[in-house]
């Protein structure tokens, strides 16, 4: 056995060239210097960030706290928070990448500063991160936190599974981060079409990073979907019929069912691509009976429902926001539920519109085009119903409402461009161009991201017990909206002018002004993200004057507002009885909110479990080993994962009990706070006087 | 018996096991949902197979590679194992002796192992005849679908061994009973998938 | 092509046709693509859009036509008309009501406006709900009609109505160039695709490498080119001119160089052009085929084989066998494509990719 083969056995495909600045040092051309510096800087930020976090935790002696309070926690609320933290970290990276790409294109007339390969990695990681490691964790985090509270449950049905899902998602995110430091990411885009991503054409580690990051996150999402669906079906408070559930919970139900159905196609597609790459199968190759269009079909059977998996929870958030900030019941509840169910079902019937240009017959194209347009019907209904919710309301323009209004305006435009694309004969002209890029950003940013940030504003006081700074919030919301318009409206024009997506450089001077405008918009979005960060810091520093311990800062309507902010670990001392929609509004109207229960009982909760972080770590090790062909690591980690599951099967003592007396003491203490608080009218809701107790005499109880 | 409340499709433990029955309402429902997701996975792999069935690209096809006798024997073994698992579930429900339950489970395991052994033999024969996955799109699809089922059976067998260990360690407590019920569903599900494989891959391939 | 000079390939450079202003294109476009009844609305919409477009396109309009809103062929023209209709219908029926009602609602029902009616429990009204559903259903029915008819009418596989038989062409996508084969004429080109004005062209497309998407926006639809498979596309140029052609499906580091110029010529000039290529072109051989199959931009390929150089940067080949295209399709299907075999050099995590995807040198466009 030669030394080289021993080294290969130990570190797999890793060489010095896998380090981001090695080429720059070896061959310092201008291009290598620029790209190496950017990549090296990004790697330093990733490693430096890790070092700072590790050092900080060590210095503050918080390892035990981190392990027992957070990483091993099975509390749906903490898991939700961790999901959202992952989402924000990844959003930071992906937005910086977006700004880099826009800068490259703005100066891309016959050149620019990025190498094509570097640019290819940027658009691939940007898309992959934004979909799988920003939007998905964000919405799963929000659902995790809010949904059990809204249905009056103590936790999700399978708390340990919840922790495993979180850690698998985290493992995928860390794998993508690792690609900054070790080797390169795929240049095959977020959908990684073969045969380009086959070993024959792209033999490096990039597509493998992509495959395994998606597999980890996809597995996590499937399990999450199962968990949420079962929770909503089985854990609702007594009396809460399906048609008493808040719209956000309905949205969570739709999304989870869609996850259960839509994630397997992704698993199959990436697994088959992995078989092609690792074992020489011929699923998607050009030759020997492979067919790349199988991948394209499978991917979009996942991919199209996926965009509705993303947007339906945001629809749910908008429903809560419009109704709460209009001081009014949601208009057309049943209609809204029917609409999201229609969207969920229709979303599985339209995937072919992603490749009208494949050369299939016109009838197939027309059928899928019309099916795509059909989705416009329930979506239109929802938009109308939100507007009718504001009709004869008392609309307060707060930060979440700015996002919501921006959403309606921009989403209508994005939906219109979607209808344009649903016409095969027009799609033939704008497919694969910047028009398409503009379209899906136009639905995903105002649709999904605005919704999630609105939800972040809306529920932040519930989660942390104090309100976010309103002025910075409004500033950020305006930056998001304007930045979005500036960044993406020019892309419609560029697409119509024939600019293909993913173009690193171009020869037409006519593109330059529009690209410059889009770059300005990207910078403004960067400012928006920065303002969100500043807002968080400012709010934290002023947290004492913005506390809302009573827990109902916005005169909320559903059960999550009925408990303290932040809520106790067990959510509700006694599971509430529900007899109406908008359960908390009804309770406030009848004066039954804030009453002590007849009797307190012991509460049983799951204990912390190391299963989640252990499986996550082993999942990461398996994936990393597979990417780099470090087979001993793969074998060890796989054995470890099996062993963990087997050992867990033998665990019996998995629950803990909180005695009734403790529950009572905590609850009485909170009731004291409630009695001491001054009820505020909606005019004062963003002022320090708002302690989270809503005045029912003025508006809420009127008429 | 007539008063029994059914919480979910399939064998319900019922009044004789009140605590397990209550918890099973969520647990087993959750497992059904998982099986649904797994069924979609198999459905897609099936559709991959069906669309690739003619993509033999000059490599050997079903007629050259499949040995119906051996596959039929595998089918019988797996069907029999499903039956024995059913007997195990019944003996749990009606609180027969632990030995009887363990006996049925061990028999299931033996039959499952027999299935896997025969299947491995078939696979090796196929490779010897030039039927390795890298030779054509059809073979790739075959080697994804059929071994995927085989891997599921292997996983189920490992789970079954662990369960036997749990029964030995803890006896038939709630957790063990829930696991047996879930594994039973899983096992029957794999049986159904095999029937589909037998029909779509082997019978249709040789027709 | 005003001057067919005596120089070696001087003639090829001057394929610049007379530039027509966009309004002239309007007048001459065949009516068969437009419902006559709606012609005036369509022309109004087109005028506005074209004005905007001309502003956007700036200097480029005079050089290469690059947008379907500046259509140079009946297909692109019909697609543009379809586009205006869809956008118009939605602007009026979808965006209009919402954009009018939203500001009104926000202002009228703002918090603090005590004069507006407040009905916190008004949450259901059968007529309103019926309206919210029926409105979108009607709009989608209308649009769906358009989708069905135009999908069939503009099916890229459907031959265009004409009194002339279509010109047959074959297109092969390589990394990072398109090879255009004229099988009847026995010639092939890279970088330029000449076609006679007023005569339909039927293209058969495949790829010798990864999936690509063939697209001439000013003429009509795009379609995928896939290895081992053949797709079809029918186009026609209405006016002589130069149109931007490209691949829109990302295929690696040289993706942005995979452009070509489609040149619409009068039938006489096209005939002359074919004759010139037959006379001046380089005979195709195995060495050239291997070079085409190697990952390179057109400029890199010419740099490697200077004998292929022409003054307009395109490559002109002659003695092309009509069996070339089917042979390539078959070879790709069997995995025996010349020039691609070298690509698989085993996995490497190296930053310096050792394969097909090696970056083309910076600004290869400017190199000789």
């Amino acid at each position: 056995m030669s030394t080289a083969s021993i080294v290969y056995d130990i570190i797999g495909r890793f060489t010095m060239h896998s380090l981001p600045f090695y080429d720059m040092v070896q061959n310092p051309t201008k291009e290598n210097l620029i790209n190496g510096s950017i990549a090296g800087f990004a790697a330093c930020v990733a490693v430096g960030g890790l070092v700072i976090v590790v050092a900080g935790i060590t210095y503050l002696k918080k390892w035990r706290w981190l392990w027992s309070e957070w990483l091993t926690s099975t509390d749906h609320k903490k898991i939700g928070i961790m999901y959202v933290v992952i989402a924000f970290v990844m959003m930071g990276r992906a937005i910086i990448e977006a700004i880099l790409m826009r800068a490259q294109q703005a100066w891309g007339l016959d050149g620019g500063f990025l190498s094509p390969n570097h640019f290819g990695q940027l658009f691939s990681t940007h898309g992959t991160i934004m979909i799988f490691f920003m939007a998905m964790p964000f919405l799963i985090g929000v659902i995790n936190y809010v949904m059990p509270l809204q249905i009056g449950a103590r936790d999700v049905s399978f708390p340990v599974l919840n922790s495993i899902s979180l850690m698998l998602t985290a493992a995928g995110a860390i794998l993508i981060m690792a690609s900054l430091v070790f080797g390169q990411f795929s240049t095959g885009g977020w959908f990684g079409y073969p045969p380009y991503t086959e070993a024959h054409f792209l033999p490096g580690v990039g597509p493998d990073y992509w495959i395994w990051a998606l597999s980890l996150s996809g597995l996590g999402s499937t399990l999450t979907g199962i968990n949420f669906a079962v929770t909503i079906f089985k854990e609702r408070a007594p009396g809460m019929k399906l048609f008493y559930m808040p719209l956000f919970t309905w949205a969570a139900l739709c999304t989870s069912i869609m996850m259960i159905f839509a994630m397997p196609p992704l698993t199959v597609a990436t697994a088959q691509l992995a078989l092609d790459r690792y074992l020489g199968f011929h699923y998607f190759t050009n030759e020997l009976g492979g067919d790349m269009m199988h991948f394209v079909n499978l991917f979009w059977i996942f991919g199209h429902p996926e965009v509705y998996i993303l947007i339906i929870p945001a629809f749910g958030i908008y429903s809560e926001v419009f109704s709460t900030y209009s001081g009014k019941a949601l208009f057309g509840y049943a209609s809204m539920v029917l609409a999201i169910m229609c969207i969920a079902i229709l979303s599985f019937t339209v995937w072919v519109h992603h490749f009208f240009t494949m050369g299939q017959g016109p009838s197939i194209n027309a059928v899928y085009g019309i099916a795509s347009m059909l989705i416009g019907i329930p979506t239109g209904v929802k938009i109308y119903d939100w507007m009718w919710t504001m009709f004869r309301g008392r609309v307060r323009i707060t930060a979440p409402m700015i996002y919501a209004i921006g959403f309606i305006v921009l989403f209508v435009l994005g939906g219109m461009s979607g209808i344009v694309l649903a016409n095969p004969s027009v799609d033939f002209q704008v497919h694969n161009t910047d028009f398409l890029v503009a379209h899906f950003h136009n639905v995903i940013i105002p649709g999904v991201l605005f919704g999630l940030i609105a939800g972040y504003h809306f529920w932040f006081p519930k989660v942390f017990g104090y309100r976010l700074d309103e002025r910075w919030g409004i500033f950020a919301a305006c930056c998001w909206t304007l930045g979005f318009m500036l960044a993406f409206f020019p892309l419609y024009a560029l697409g119509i002018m024939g600019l293909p997506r993913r173009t690193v450089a171009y020869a037409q001077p006519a593109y330059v002004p529009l690209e410059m405008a889009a770059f300005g918009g990207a910078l403004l979005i960067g400012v928006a993200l920065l303002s969100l960060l500043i807002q968080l810091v400012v709010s934290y520093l002023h947290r004492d004057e913005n506390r809302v311990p009573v827990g109902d800062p916005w005169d909320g309507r559903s059960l999550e507002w009925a408990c303290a902010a932040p809520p106790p670990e067990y959510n509700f001392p006694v599971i509430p009885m529900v007899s109406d929609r908008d359960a908390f509004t009804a309770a406030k109207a009848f004066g039954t909110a804030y009453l002590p229960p007849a009797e307190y009982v012991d509460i049983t909760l799951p204990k912390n479990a190391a299963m989640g972080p252990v499986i996550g770590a082993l999942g990461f090790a398996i994936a990393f080993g597979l990417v780099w062909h470090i087979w001993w690591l793969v074998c060890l980690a796989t054995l470890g994962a099996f062993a963990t599951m087997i050992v867990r099967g033998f665990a019996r003592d998995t629950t803990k009990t909180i005695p009734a007396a403790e529950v009572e003491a905590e609850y009485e203490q909170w009731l004291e706070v409630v009695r001491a608080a001054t009820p505020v009218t909606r005019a004062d809701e963003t002022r320090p006087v708002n302690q989270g107790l809503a005045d029912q005499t003025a508006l809420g109880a009127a008429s | 018996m007539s008063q029994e409340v059914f919480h979910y499709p399939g064998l319900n433990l019922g009044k004789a096991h009140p605590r397990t029955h209550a918890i099973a309402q969520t647990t087993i429902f959750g497992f059904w949902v998982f099986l649904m997701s797994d069924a979609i996975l198999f459905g897609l792999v099936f559709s991959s197979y069906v669309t690739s069935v003619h993509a033999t690209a000059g490599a050997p096809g079903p007629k050259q590679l499949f040995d119906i006798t051996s596959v039929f024997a595998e089918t019988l073994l797996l069907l029999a194992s499903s039956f024995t698992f059913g007997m195990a579930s019944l003996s749990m429900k009606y609180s027969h002796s632990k030995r009887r339950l363990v006996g049925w489970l061990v028999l299931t395991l033996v039959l499952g192992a027999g299935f896997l052994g025969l299947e491995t033999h078939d696979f090796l024969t196929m490779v010897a005849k030039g039927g390795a996955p890298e030779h054509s799109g059809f073979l790739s699809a075959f080697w994804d679908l059929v071994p995927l089922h085989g891997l599921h059976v292997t996983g189920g067998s490992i789970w079954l061994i662990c369960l036997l260990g749990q029964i030995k360690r803890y006896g038939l407590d709630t957790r063990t009973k829930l696991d047996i019920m879930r594994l039973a569903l899983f096992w029957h599900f794999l049986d159904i998938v095999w029937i589909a494989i037998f029909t779509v891959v082997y019978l249709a391939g040789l027709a | 092509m005003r001057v067919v000079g005596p120089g070696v390939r001087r003639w090829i450079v001057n394929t610049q046709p007379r530039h027509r202003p966009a309004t002239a294109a309007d007048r001459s476009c065949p009516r068969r693509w437009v419902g006559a009844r709606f012609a005036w609305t369509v022309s109004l919409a087109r005028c506005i859009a074209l004005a905007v477009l001309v502003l956007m396109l700036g200097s480029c309009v005079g050089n290469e036509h690059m947008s379907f809103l500046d259509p140079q062929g009946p297909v692109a023209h019909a697609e543009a008309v379809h586009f205006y209709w869809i956008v118009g219908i939605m602007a009026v029926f979808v965006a209009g009501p919402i954009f009018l009602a939203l500001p009104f609602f926000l202002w009228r029902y703002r918090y603090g406006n005590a004069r507006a009616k407040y009905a916190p429990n008004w949450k259901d009204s059968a007529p309103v709900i019926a309206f919210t559903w029926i409105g979108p259903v009607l709009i989608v029915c209308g649009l769906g009609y358009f989708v069905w008819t135009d999908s069939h009418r503009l099916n890229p596989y459907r031959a265009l109505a004409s009194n002339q038989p279509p010109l047959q062409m074959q297109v092969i996508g390589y990394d990072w160039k398109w090879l255009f084969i004229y099988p009847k004429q026995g010639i092939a080109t890279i970088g330029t695709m000449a076609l006679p004005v007023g005569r339909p062209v039927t293209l058969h497309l495949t790829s010798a490498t990864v999936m690509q998407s063939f697209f001439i926006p000013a003429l009509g639809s795009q379609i995928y080119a896939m290895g081992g498979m053949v797709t079809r596309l029918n186009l026609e140029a209405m006016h002589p001119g130069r149109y931007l052609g490209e691949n829109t499906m990302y295929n690696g580091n040289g993706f942005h160089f995979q452009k070509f110029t489609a040149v619409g010529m009068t039938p006489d000039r096209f005939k002359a052009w074919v004759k010139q290529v037959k006379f001046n072109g380089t005979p195709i051989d195995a060495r050239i085929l291997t070079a085409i199959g190697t990952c390179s931009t057109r400029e890199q390929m010419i740099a490697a084989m200077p004998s292929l150089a022409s003054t307009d940067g395109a490559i002109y080949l002659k003695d092309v066998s009509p069996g070339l295209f089917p042979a390539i399709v078959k070879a790709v299907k069997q995995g025996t494509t010349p020039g691609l075999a070298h690509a698989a050099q085993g996995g490497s995590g190296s930053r310096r990719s050792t394969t097909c995807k090696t970056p083309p040198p910076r600004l290869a466009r400017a190199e000789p």
Side-chain angles (χ1 to χ4, degrees), chain A residues 17 110 114 117 183 204 286-288 327 329 332 335 357 363 392 395 423 425 428-429 431 496 498 510 699 703, chain C residues 57 67-68 79 82 109 111 118-120 123 133 152 209 215 217 220 222 224 246 250 253 333 348 351 362-363 365:
Chain A
H17 287 291
D110 282 325
L114 289 178
N117 186 39
N286 278 336
E287 69 276 5
L288 298 183
S335 197
T357 49
S363 299
R392 293 187 176 161
V395 182
N423 286 264
S425 39
F428 290 150
Q429 277 290 347
H431 178 61
I496 289 175
L699 279 176
S703 98
Chain C
L57 296 177
S67 172
F68 74 112
E79 285 166 344
H82 187 108
Y109 300 110
Y111 185 80
Y118 180 44
K123 56 188 176 187
W133 282 92
H152 285 86
T209 168
F215 189 26
Q222 65 179 300
Y224 288 163
E246 57 195 5
Y250 185 79
N253 291 323
K333 223 173 183 167
S348 153
R351 289 238 161 208
R362 167 67 44 178
L363 292 182
R365 181 181 294 278

Side-chain angles (χ1 to χ4, degrees), chain A residues 16 37 60 101 124 131 214 302 348 462 474 563 588 695:
Chain A
M16 288 304 278
S37 306
L60 297 170
M101 284 189 287
S124 304
I131 299 287
L214 255 61
F302 146 78
F348 283 91
K462 173 55 61 182
I474 289 176
C563 56
K588 285 188 282 191
D695 185 352

Side-chain angles (χ1 to χ4, degrees), chain A residues 320 323-325 327-328 396 458 551-558 561 584-585 588 594 680-682 685 690 692-701, chain C residues 118:
Chain A
E320 307 287 326
S323 138
T324 306
Y325 289 107
K328 198 166 158 272
R396 288 116 60 192
F458 186 59
D552 179 25
W554 319 123
D555 195 7
R557 311 184 69 85
S558 39
W561 304 108
F584 189 49
T585 299
K588 285 188 282 191
Y594 311 118
V680 291
T681 62
R682 292 305 94 203
E685 70 180 345
N690 182 359
L693 185 62
D695 185 352
Q696 296 301 308
T697 54
L699 279 176
Chain C
Y118 180 44

Side-chain angles (χ1 to χ4, degrees), chain C residues 216-288:
Chain C
I216 306 173
L219 290 191
S221 307
Q222 65 179 300
I223 197 105
Y224 288 163
M226 295 164 286
M229 293 181 246
V230 180
T231 47
R232 261 184 293 156
L233 180 62
N234 287 281
L235 296 174
E236 184 183 328
M238 293 188 297
H239 319 291
R242 295 167 66 80
Y243 332 117
L244 170 76
E246 57 195 5
N247 164 29
T248 63
M249 179 65 85
Y250 185 79
N251 62 342
N253 291 323
F255 165 66
H256 55 296
F257 289 121
Q258 196 170 352
K259 310 278 178 198
F260 61 92
T261 307
V263 185
M265 304 172 174
T266 59
D268 292 343
R269 282 192 181 136
F270 178 72
K271 247 180 225 167
W273 177 85
V274 169
K275 210 176 265 178
Q276 293 280 9
V277 176
K278 276 185 171 165
F279 182 71
N280 286 312
T282 316
I284 198 162
D285 56 26
R287 201 174 54 97
I288 292 178

Side-chain angles (χ1 to χ4, degrees), chain C residues 81-125:
Chain C
V81 170
H82 187 108
F83 174 77
Y84 293 131
W85 266 106
I86 298 287
V87 172
I89 289 173
M90 282 189 304
V92 173
F93 295 104
V94 180
I98 292 173
F99 287 179
L100 288 176
L102 183 66
F104 172 74
F105 279 16
L106 285 173
W107 177 251
R108 175 80 189 158
Y109 300 110
R110 68 192 185 275
Y111 185 80
N113 182 13
R115 283 181 305 144
K117 194 172 172 189
Y118 180 44
N121 293 317
W122 184 77
K123 56 188 176 187
D124 246 332
S125 154

Side-chain angles (χ1 to χ4, degrees), chain B residues 130-182:
Chain B
E134 62 267 27
H135 293 311
S136 73
F138 157 73
L139 285 165
S140 298
F142 173 89
W143 282 92
D144 192 14
L145 173 59
V146 184
L148 181 68
H149 175 268
L151 281 177
H152 272 74
V153 177
T154 313
S157 305
I158 295 174
W159 189 2
L160 187 46
I161 295 169
C162 297
L163 259 183
L164 290 169
Q166 286 183 39
I167 294 173
K168 191 170 163 53
R169 173 87 171 71
Y170 298 108
L172 274 174
D173 64 349
T174 301
R175 169 74 202 247
T176 322
K177 284 185 206 163
L178 287 173
D179 263 17
I180 293 176
M181 287 163 74
R182 277 182 285 186

Side-chain angles (χ1 to χ4, degrees), chain A residues 13 17-20 23 26 31 110-112 114-117 120 123 179-180 183-184 187 193 195-196 200-205 286-288 291-293 296 326-332 335 338-339 354-355 357-359 362-363 366-367 370 373-374 377 381 383-385 387-388 390-397 405 408-409 412-413 416 419-420 423-433 493 496-498 500-505 507-508 510-511 628 682-683 699 702-703, chain C residues 53 56-57 59-60 64 66-69 76 79 82-83 86-87 90-91 93-95 98-99 101-102 105-106 109-114 116-125 128-129 132-133 136-137 140 143-144 146-148 150-152 154-157 175 209-211 213 215-217 219-224 226-227 229 231 244 246-253 255-256 259 332-335 340 343-344 346-352 355-357 359-360 362-363 365:
Chain A
R13 298 196 269 181
H17 287 291
S18 310
L19 291 171
D23 281 0
Q26 274 224 317
E31 180 181 308
D110 282 325
L114 289 178
S115 72
N117 186 39
F123 67 66
S179 75
L180 278 178
Q184 297 184 312
T187 53
Y193 277 3
Y196 179 74
H200 180 75
F201 294 102
L202 213 53
V205 292
N286 278 336
E287 69 276 5
L288 298 183
D291 189 339
M292 70 288 291
M293 295 321 288
V296 175
S326 303
K328 198 166 158 272
L330 188 74
F331 179 83
S335 197
L338 183 63
H354 293 270
F355 44 97
T357 49
M358 183 177 74
S363 299
V367 165
I370 293 171
M373 287 183 171
L374 288 179
I377 298 173
V381 168
I383 301 262
Y384 288 136
D385 284 354
M387 291 181 47
W388 287 117
M390 291 189 282
F391 178 75
R392 293 187 176 161
R394 286 279 184 268
V395 182
R396 288 116 60 192
I397 304 295
I405 293 160
I408 289 203
V409 174
V412 165
L413 295 173
M416 281 170 58
I419 299 270
V420 168
N423 286 264
S425 39
V426 181
D427 182 76
F428 290 150
Q429 277 290 347
V430 287
H431 178 61
N432 267 350
T433 68
I496 289 175
M497 289 158 75
R501 67 193 294 200
R502 299 177 173 169
T503 299
V504 60
Q508 285 80 356
Y511 295 153
W628 288 97
R682 292 305 94 203
L699 279 176
S703 98
Chain C
L53 189 76
M56 290 186 329
L57 296 177
S59 60
C60 247
E64 269 185 358
M66 52 199 227
S67 172
F68 74 112
L69 296 189
E79 285 166 344
H82 187 108
F83 174 77
I86 298 287
V87 172
M90 282 189 304
F93 295 104
V94 180
I98 292 173
F99 287 179
L102 183 66
F105 279 16
L106 285 173
Y109 300 110
R110 68 192 185 275
Y111 185 80
N113 182 13
K117 194 172 172 189
Y118 180 44
N121 293 317
W122 184 77
K123 56 188 176 187
D124 246 332
S125 154
V128 174
I129 287 181
T132 59
W133 282 92
V137 167
V140 168
L143 294 174
F146 271 101
V147 170
W148 184 263
D150 270 18
S151 292
H152 285 86
L154 296 169
N155 173 14
Y157 280 33
D175 284 324
T209 168
V210 302
M211 193 204 293
S213 189
F215 189 26
I216 306 173
L219 290 191
S221 307
Q222 65 179 300
I223 197 105
Y224 288 163
M226 295 164 286
M229 293 181 246
T231 47
L244 170 76
E246 57 195 5
N247 164 29
T248 63
M249 179 65 85
Y250 185 79
N251 62 342
N253 291 323
F255 165 66
H256 55 296
K259 310 278 178 198
V332 171
K333 223 173 183 167
Q334 296 175 341
L340 284 181
S348 153
S350 166
R351 289 238 161 208
R352 186 186 294 153
T355 64
C356 194
K357 297 302 157 192
R362 167 67 44 178
L363 292 182
R365 181 181 294 278

Side-chain angles (χ1 to χ4, degrees), chain A residues 98-430:
Chain A
I99 294 173
L100 258 181
M101 284 189 287
R102 289 261 71 92
Q104 160 65 26
Q105 286 202 325
W107 279 276
L109 184 64
D110 282 325
F113 55 94
L114 289 178
S115 72
N117 186 39
H118 199 161
F119 187 78
Q121 291 181 61
L122 285 175
F123 67 66
S124 304
T125 44
H126 171 82
T128 309
I129 288 176
M130 281 302 198
I131 299 287
F132 295 100
F133 298 104
M134 191 289 285
M136 287 294 271
F138 205 150
L139 73 91
I140 290 175
V142 175
I143 294 176
N144 235 318
Y145 198 97
V146 174
M147 179 271 287
L149 288 169
Q150 281 198 335
I151 62 172
R154 293 210 195 286
D155 207 324
V156 294
S157 286
F158 308 110
V160 178
L161 190 68
N162 204 11
S163 165
I164 294 174
S165 305
L166 165 73
M167 292 303 170
L168 288 174
T169 308
I174 294 170
L175 193 67
I176 291 230
M177 284 308 207
S179 75
L180 278 178
V181 185
F182 307 108
Q184 297 184 312
F185 199 74
S186 169
T187 53
W190 84 279
F191 47 63
Y193 277 3
Y196 179 74
T197 47
E198 291 282 357
H200 180 75
F201 294 102
L202 213 53
V205 292
D208 300 326
Y209 266 123
W210 177 81
I211 287 172
W212 300 117
L214 255 61
S215 303
L216 286 171
S217 120
L219 184 58
S221 305
T222 314
L223 298 176
T224 300
I226 295 172
N227 209 344
F228 285 168
V230 175
T231 305
I232 296 172
F233 279 123
K234 295 290 180 190
E235 311 286 340
R236 293 193 310 281
M240 183 177 270
K241 296 191 269 186
L242 282 175
F243 272 80
Y244 285 174
M245 297 196 310
L247 238 282
F248 179 73
T249 299
W250 267 110
L253 179 62
C254 280
T255 282
S256 2
I257 294 174
M258 290 171 75
M259 281 182 192
I260 298 165
F261 282 88
M263 287 294 161
L266 177 70
T267 310
V268 171
T270 51
Q272 293 183 339
L273 185 59
L275 287 172
D276 273 10
R277 286 182 64 83
Y278 283 82
L279 298 173
F281 279 41
H282 287 284
Y283 272 113
F284 311 128
T285 54
N286 278 336
E287 69 276 5
L288 298 183
D291 189 339
M292 70 288 291
M293 295 321 288
H294 288 175
F295 180 93
V296 175
N297 274 292
L298 281 172
F299 188 87
W300 290 115
I301 291 173
F302 146 78
H304 200 87
E306 166 70 14
V307 300
Y308 289 94
I309 289 176
L310 301 181
I311 210 161
I312 283 179
F315 283 174
I317 294 172
Y318 289 127
S319 298
E320 307 287 326
V321 165
F322 276 116
S323 138
T324 306
Y325 289 107
S326 303
K328 198 166 158 272
L330 188 74
F331 179 83
Y333 175 93
S335 197
M336 285 287 220
V337 171
L338 183 63
I340 42 176
M341 280 294 171
C342 287
I343 294 174
I345 292 166
L346 284 172
S347 71
F348 283 91
T349 65
V350 300
W351 78 91
V352 172
H353 72 210
H354 293 270
F355 44 97
F356 281 147
T357 49
M358 183 177 74
Q360 65 273 47
S363 299
I364 293 178
N365 278 354
V367 165
Y368 281 94
I370 293 171
S372 313
M373 287 183 171
L374 288 179
I375 296 185
I377 298 173
T379 314
V381 168
K382 293 190 79 69
I383 301 262
Y384 288 136
D385 284 354
W386 285 318
M387 291 181 47
W388 287 117
T389 301
M390 291 189 282
F391 178 75
R392 293 187 176 161
R394 286 279 184 268
V395 182
R396 288 116 60 192
I397 304 295
T398 54
M401 270 306 270
I402 294 180
Y403 286 110
I405 293 160
F407 154 74
I408 289 203
V409 174
L410 297 173
F411 194 75
V412 165
L413 295 173
M416 281 170 58
S417 64
I419 299 270
V420 168
L421 281 159
N423 286 264
S425 39
V426 181
D427 182 76
F428 290 150
Q429 277 290 347
V430 287

